[in-house]
Amino acid sequence: MTETLESLFEPIRLRIAAAESDDDLRRIERETLDKGGAVAALLAGIPTLPPTERPLTGKRANELKGAIQAGLAEAKERLALRAVERERLGEGFDATLPGARPTRGGLHPLVAVTRELEDLFTSMGYVVLDGPEIESDENNFQLLNIPPDHPARDAQDTFRCDADGKFVLRTHTSPGQVRALKERVVPAIRAGTFAPPFRAIVPGKVFRQETTDASHEHTFHQMEGLVVGKDISVGHLIGAMKTLLRGVFGREIEVRLRPGYFPFVEPGFELDARCPFCKEGCSVCKRSTWIELLPCGLVHPNVLRNCGVDPEVWSGFAFGLGLSRLVMLRYGIDDVRLLLSGDLRFLEQF
Ligand code: DAH
């Protein structure tokens, strides 16, 4: 073994120095370090050498490998610097070539509709509130007049967060009413600064342990509404809902109220809207010309009382808009599961 590291590396060093591109470097790397390359050749010769020369040759092979790797890394840096320098000097830049078109994202339809409704409601004097997705059983049920053994709990298959059932994934945005009353209305009344009517919306994600299908999803969106003032009546409620529908559909929409039961409102209603898509009945309105759109009602005195508001003095109305449903109606989406699927083929249509 007479060859020095220098004599082995020199021809490779020259090749690296002459490299003009990353491709050149990759080729040199392959031809020297991979199978059949200079390093491998050295190693392959070891068994034929006299035992005394073997260790030195092994050491040489390792040194050669290190030298090649270091040389390649240095050359790579040199090429990158040169590219930057060239660009700075305007070399190799063709101003007539079309640029790379950046891919732009768009708003998710749920976000678009939520923002639109937030604009609409803030223009009517509502504040937009937020609440946690993990909610106490107390806020999600008890203070809303749904005590522990109330049958209304069965309708809301609840994801529980702890063994004692103190916390749940909120099953609706109605705890937003409780928080608004406790955190906004009561302190203002106490401080003597309450300026009725208080109006708030609470858009957000809600969760139910459901078997999913085209019209059921375990995670969906609602928007709660709450108005508190003096002598609030069903008339106020209907007026607000008609304004909402005019904003959403861009024209006057006929509505009707049917009685509906929800423990936190009295009286409670289901508000139906005349189907905006047909006159004689279609698949969206299931041939009835009416679409069940939003449950609502006058806030139950127990809820006001539970939250510290005197129902003898104050009254209010509330509604629970199914945001996911509204988005589906608006865009003609026939499967709720698409909304949160993250499927780009779906999302790119908006
Ligand atoms: N929280 C109810 C649900 O998700 C919907 C609801 C009904 C909300 C009546 C309201 C209301 O504010 O007044 O099933």
Side-chain angles (χ1 to χ4, degrees), residues 79-140:
L79 286 176
L81 274 176
R82 201 171 67 184
V84 171
E85 183 65 10
R86 276 196 165 161
E87 201 166 308
R88 194 175 69 77
L89 295 172
E91 283 174 34
F93 177 74
D94 183 349
T96 64
L97 280 177
R101 192 181 291 276
T103 39
R104 280 186 61 195
L107 289 183
H108 190 286
L110 269 166
V111 175
V113 170
T114 305
R115 288 199 186 167
E116 215 176 280
L117 290 175
E118 286 176 358
D119 280 349
L120 180 71
F121 276 105
T122 43
S123 79
M124 301 195 292
Y126 285 69
V127 290
V128 182
L129 300 181
D130 203 5
E133 290 170 1
I134 295 178
E135 189 48 283
S136 63
D137 183 276
E138 193 178 31
N139 286 342
N140 193 84

Side-chain angles (χ1 to χ4, degrees), residues 55-71:
L56 182 66
T57 307
K59 188 162 164 257
R60 278 279 177 283
N62 274 331
E63 286 169 349
L64 181 59
K65 185 172 166 194
I68 294 172
Q69 282 168 337

